[in-house]
Amino acid sequence: MKHYDNVVIFDHPLIRHKIAILRDEATSMKEFRELVEEITTLMTYECLKDGVPTTEREVKTPLEVCTQRVVKDNAIVIVPILRAGLGMVNGIHVLFPSARVGHIGMYRDEETFEPQTYYCKLPDGIEDKLVLVVDPMLATGGSACDAIRLLKARGCKHIKFMAIIGAPVGVSRVAEEHPDVNIYVSTLDRELNEKGYILPGLGDAGDRLFGTK
Ligand code: PRP
Ligand code: URA
């Protein structure tokens, strides 16, 4: 894949280890859900290395008062793309328990792979927040591009997108359509099959998270 300044591929040994278990068809729903959360927490740590709104706060240690930099209250909004994105929300809430959550419901048409939006509910004031859009799978990139477009139309200016597994074609599409959005992907897989599934991938993330197949 071409290099994009707005794309970070993690390729971290700890994350790779967890993704190997995630891919395994023998992994249970419970373990799958826990792994998605753990990987998301690890990704969030890196993804928020810069660009998180912070403020100064006075802290009294047992020895003296000092000024410390802390993350601003109510600075982050998590936006999962339903359904599979829901599996990543707790992984961020572990770090930011008070982060508000907006929901965008989308499914891919099985023939055309075009995303269809069926739900959207976003917190008031989202325009000025750092918006973390999450979806474990970035395949053709259609869902991610449409979700980001929808958020921009609502006035959001600071958007980051996080996916656990990306296909080169989808990552390139989002990077090119939204050069102002930083994209974080844990691992880049080989390609898509004729049904739009990522290879080697992990199958249907929503079905594996919620046991629907
Ligand atoms: C999956 C996945 C993404 C989308 C990725 O959702 O969670 O939202 O496909 O594909 P794309 O990059 O080609 O748009 P799906 O449509 O299976 O819905 P679900 O999460 O409700 O199962
Ligand atoms: N959505 C999934 O859940 N898995 C894929 O491989 C592609 C899209």
Side-chain angles (χ1 to χ4, degrees):
M1 193 184 75
K2 204 174 120 186
H3 170 84
Y4 296 97
D5 285 343
N6 59 330
V7 174
V8 176
I9 311 281
F10 285 124
D11 277 331
H12 187 288
L14 193 54
I15 296 182
R16 275 184 171 278
H17 173 88
K18 290 182 186 293
I19 290 177
I21 308 171
L22 203 61
R23 292 186 194 278
D24 190 335
E25 64 175 7
T27 296
S28 70
M29 185 173 73
K30 174 178 182 284
E31 206 182 351
F32 190 92
R33 200 166 51 229
E34 289 167 355
L35 284 161
V36 166
E37 286 184 21
E38 286 169 13
I39 293 165
T40 306
T41 304
L42 294 170
M43 291 182 75
T44 306
Y45 175 78
E46 188 61 25
C47 159
L48 296 185
K49 200 163 64 176
D50 47 42
V52 191
T54 60
T55 183
E56 291 194 334
R57 183 185 293 168
E58 298 246 294
V59 175
K60 188 171 177 299
T61 80
L63 301 172
E64 63 176 25
V65 174
C66 58
T67 306
Q68 295 290 291
R69 211 149 248 293
V70 297
V71 176
K72 256 190 183 167
D73 283 342
N74 197 13
I76 293 165
V77 172
I78 311 165
V79 177
I81 301 178
L82 310 186
R83 291 174 300 164
L86 285 174
M88 297 174 75
V89 173
N90 283 348
I92 304 175
H93 266 156
V94 166
L95 300 173
F96 299 102
S98 61
R100 309 267 164 96
V101 182
H103 296 85
I104 298 180
M106 284 183 174
Y107 68 89
R108 289 196 315 175
D109 181 290
E110 286 184 7
E111 304 288 320
T112 63
F113 310 143
E114 283 300 312
Q116 314 291 322
T117 305
Y118 59 85
Y119 186 76
C120 180
K121 180 83 178 170
L122 302 171
D124 288 345
I126 192 172
E127 317 73 54
D128 305 315
K129 311 294 184 203
L130 173 60
V131 180
L132 298 180
V133 185
V134 295
D135 192 330
M137 308 305 276
L138 177 47
T140 64
S143 307
C145 281
D146 276 17
I148 294 168
R149 202 173 306 124
L150 194 156
L151 288 162
K152 285 183 175 174
R154 289 289 191 98
C156 298
K157 295 171 281 296
H158 314 290
I159 303 174
K160 290 175 186 265
F161 182 84
M162 286 168 55
I164 295 181
I165 299 185
V169 66
V171 177
S172 300
R173 177 169 168 192
V174 185
E176 286 173 18
E177 280 190 31
H178 297 286
D180 52 331
V181 171
N182 284 343
I183 301 153
Y184 301 84
V185 179
S186 275
T187 194
L188 195 62
D189 272 8
R190 199 175 67 245
E191 61 185 346
L192 298 180
N193 70 9
E194 68 289 351
K195 292 192 166 151
Y197 276 87
I198 300 175
L199 297 174
L202 49 71
D204 188 303
D207 285 340
R208 296 198 61 185
L209 275 166
F210 301 112
T212 35
K213 280 252 166 68

